[in-house]
Amino acid sequence: MDLGGLTDAMASKNYDIIADICDNLMLQVAAEGLSFENDWPYAIHLLGHIYVGDTNSARFLWKTMPVVAKENQAEVVAVWSIGQKLWTKDYGGVYEAVRAFNWTSQLQPFVTAFSESYTKKMFQLLLAAYSTISVQDTSLFLGMNEGDATKYVLNEGWSLDSASQMFSVKKQSVVAEQKLDASKLQRLTEYVFHLEH
């Protein structure tokens, strides 16, 4: 079993493609009739699905995973704990699951990248859903203590009412890209040509 592509993707921190690489390798190994129960990188594979937000595939992988892997690989169980929190929309619990395990040096950068990406997604969720939100709720959604959460959102232009401990959410301005329609360009060209002649 050649895990070179997976190793390269992990080394280059190209985490978006990890799940696809693992899925394809698993299919290839299965098609060749080889066994991979003991040395399959289940934790990486599972986190790959979680990283791209594919909790359905993560659940399927967990259900089809050999019992031996679930019982003997604590890191696999720790990754699954993150998946469970995502599945139940326990936003604060996701961060707790990330911090609750002492990750191996191989998986630590991947878990860190997931956590950072998740924080950015949660911030975008707050932007879309709230015009005001408490400091406490903000810290829960961002997985930070109240001081760090306050610094984070103030840097994003939010304002804090110290008396009520409520943030006023600063909506980001949306810059709409103007797309050039080929048919409109053709009509404009014909019109200008007509004017010139």
Side-chain angles (χ1 to χ4, degrees):
M1 168 173 50
D2 179 20
L3 298 176
L6 178 59
T7 304
D8 293 345
M10 289 289 289
S12 65
K13 299 184 178 188
N14 197 359
Y15 301 127
D16 287 337
I17 63 172
I18 297 293
D20 287 339
I21 290 172
C22 289
D23 288 346
N24 290 332
L25 280 171
M26 189 176 263
L27 289 173
Q28 179 184 358
V29 168
E32 293 172 6
L34 302 173
S35 174
F36 53 80
E37 283 187 14
N38 296 330
D39 58 351
W40 188 257
Y42 284 111
I44 292 171
H45 193 171
L46 195 57
L47 187 56
H49 285 296
I50 291 169
Y51 183 84
V52 296
D54 188 357
T55 53
N56 286 329
S57 292
R59 284 183 70 207
F60 179 76
L61 177 61
W62 177 258
K63 286 181 179 183
T64 59
M65 202 178 290
V67 174
V68 166
K70 294 176 188 178
E71 291 176 351
N72 296 333
Q73 297 180 25
E75 200 162 45
V76 171
V77 175
V79 171
W80 178 237
S81 178
I82 295 169
Q84 288 175 306
K85 301 297 183 185
L86 285 168
W87 186 259
T88 60
K89 297 184 181 358
D90 179 359
Y91 304 113
V94 171
Y95 296 108
E96 291 170 10
V98 165
R99 290 189 284 259
F101 190 78
N102 187 19
W103 305 99
T104 61
S105 59
Q106 180 186 25
L107 208 57
Q108 179 63 55
F110 196 3
V111 171
T112 300
F114 162 77
S115 183
E116 290 169 358
S117 172
Y118 183 71
T119 298
K120 289 176 185 172
K121 287 177 187 171
M122 289 296 97
F123 180 73
Q124 293 302 316
L125 176 72
L126 296 179
L127 278 175
Y130 293 92
S131 57
T132 59
I133 184 171
S134 71
V135 172
Q136 183 180 8
D137 288 345
T138 302
S139 68
L140 176 73
F141 276 104
L142 298 180
M144 302 174 187
N145 64 46
E146 290 183 5
D148 290 342
T150 298
K151 278 190 240 176
Y152 187 92
V153 299
L154 290 178
N155 284 338
E156 296 293 330
W158 292 18
S159 57
L160 173 63
D161 179 349
S162 299
S164 66
Q165 287 293 292
M166 294 292 287
F167 290 114
S168 291
V169 177
K170 179 185 177 193
K171 302 291 184 187
Q172 296 174 336
S173 58
V174 178
V175 177
E177 277 188 39
Q178 237 182 353
K179 295 185 180 176
L180 192 55
D181 184 358
S183 64
K184 289 180 182 176
L185 182 60
Q186 179 64 34
R187 286 190 305 242
L188 180 61
T189 303
E190 290 170 0
Y191 181 72
V192 170
F193 181 78
H194 177 72
L195 288 175
E196 290 179 351
H197 297 335

